[in-house]
Amino acid sequence: MKSNHPVCTRLRSQLRGLVPVALAAILSVSGLAAAEATTTLTLADAEHRISKNPSLAAYRQKILALRHQAIAAAQLPDPHLSLGAVDLPTNNFSMNQQQMSMLSVGLSQTFPPFGQLTLRGRQLRMEARAASASKAERAAELRWLLQQSWIQALVGHDEMRILVRQEQLARLTEQAATAAYRAGRADEADVLRSRLARVALENEKDQIRSEQTVALARFFDVSCG
């Protein structure tokens, strides 16, 4: 079950577009420019949203159900009320037609073996505590995944910024090598080397962009559920 929160919905839409922008802008509602953002999803906000993760919600429901069951299991079952009629004429159901006509009322209570109710209630309370421990463990795991994804996305942004600058320089180098080759001042190998260097940087950018997109997708899945 995915969250329908508008911030989460718009962020997922941006991820599908694979837009490589600055992390602060990616984490904003607009996702296009930080200056245009009016609402942002910070790491602290995302950690707070973890409590709404579907897996934790399922644990909460399980814990609540076990606690209610523990209370009910420690109590006696409901008494059984019975109502009957003896020698009641079926043609008019009159109690005065026959002297032997009578109604019977009975009340019975089942008593389980001694200690069974206490034992069952204790067992359910232990299951509730175990579910609470599993919920805390899952919350810690989600928080760790969130922080790791945030760091990976932030590092990817810094690497991308450096690579963009390096690619600009590589493109200028390739243009200079090409001009020198045409003027007879450089070999074709120089042009080829500069071109390969630029292509290698483009490939590295694509790899980092892919890793950053995966990290951000994981970040929003964990934080928005």
Side-chain angles (χ1 to χ4, degrees):
M1 180 177 65
K2 297 295 185 182
S3 171
N4 292 324
H5 191 280
V7 174
C8 301
T9 301
R10 298 182 67 179
L11 287 172
R12 288 196 187 97
S13 177
Q14 293 160 201
L15 284 174
R16 286 194 292 268
L18 304 181
V19 182
V21 294
L23 182 61
I26 293 176
L27 298 181
S28 69
V29 173
S30 66
L32 298 177
E36 299 174 1
T38 57
T39 305
T40 59
L41 180 63
T42 65
L43 178 58
D45 293 335
E47 289 180 341
H48 179 71
R49 289 178 185 272
I50 287 180
S51 60
K52 299 180 181 179
N53 188 278
S55 62
L56 297 183
Y59 272 119
R60 282 193 294 271
Q61 294 176 358
K62 180 179 180 180
I63 294 168
L64 184 61
L66 287 171
R67 288 174 177 172
H68 285 313
Q69 292 175 21
I71 295 174
Q75 299 175 354
L76 289 172
D78 294 335
H80 179 70
L81 177 66
S82 61
L83 178 65
V86 179
D87 292 333
L88 185 67
T90 58
N91 57 346
N92 57 11
F93 300 101
S94 174
M95 295 292 297
N96 300 322
Q97 183 174 336
Q98 300 183 21
Q99 294 182 353
M100 298 301 294
S101 296
M102 65 179 67
L103 293 175
S104 63
V105 180
L107 183 64
S108 61
Q109 174 68 61
T110 301
F111 292 92
F114 178 76
Q116 184 178 22
L117 295 179
T118 302
L119 180 62
R120 179 57 179 163
R122 183 181 303 149
Q123 179 183 358
L124 289 169
R125 286 193 297 271
M126 291 178 61
E127 291 181 11
R129 285 195 292 269
S132 296
S134 298
K135 173 178 170 289
E137 182 179 352
R138 176 58 177 165
E141 179 186 3
L142 290 173
R143 190 171 292 106
W144 182 85
L145 287 173
L146 193 72
Q147 293 171 351
Q148 292 299 310
S149 300
W150 175 276
I151 293 172
Q152 185 176 355
L154 184 61
V155 171
H157 164 63
D158 290 339
E159 291 178 343
M160 185 68 71
R161 185 171 56 183
I162 294 173
L163 285 173
V164 167
R165 179 57 179 166
Q166 290 179 339
E167 185 185 17
Q168 292 173 348
L169 295 176
R171 193 177 300 276
L172 292 175
T173 300
E174 181 183 0
Q175 292 173 356
T178 301
Y181 171 71
R182 290 173 179 174
R185 297 192 304 272
D187 297 331
E188 185 177 5
D190 296 331
V191 178
L192 181 59
R193 279 193 298 269
S194 61
R195 183 172 302 164
L196 290 176
R198 178 182 57 80
V199 171
L201 289 172
E202 290 179 351
N203 293 336
E204 191 173 355
K205 279 177 54 182
D206 291 339
Q207 178 65 28
I208 293 177
R209 184 181 294 112
S210 177
E211 293 174 354
Q212 188 181 28
T213 300
V214 171
L216 288 172
R218 185 169 58 247
F219 177 87
F220 294 124
D221 283 342
V222 173
S223 60
C224 300

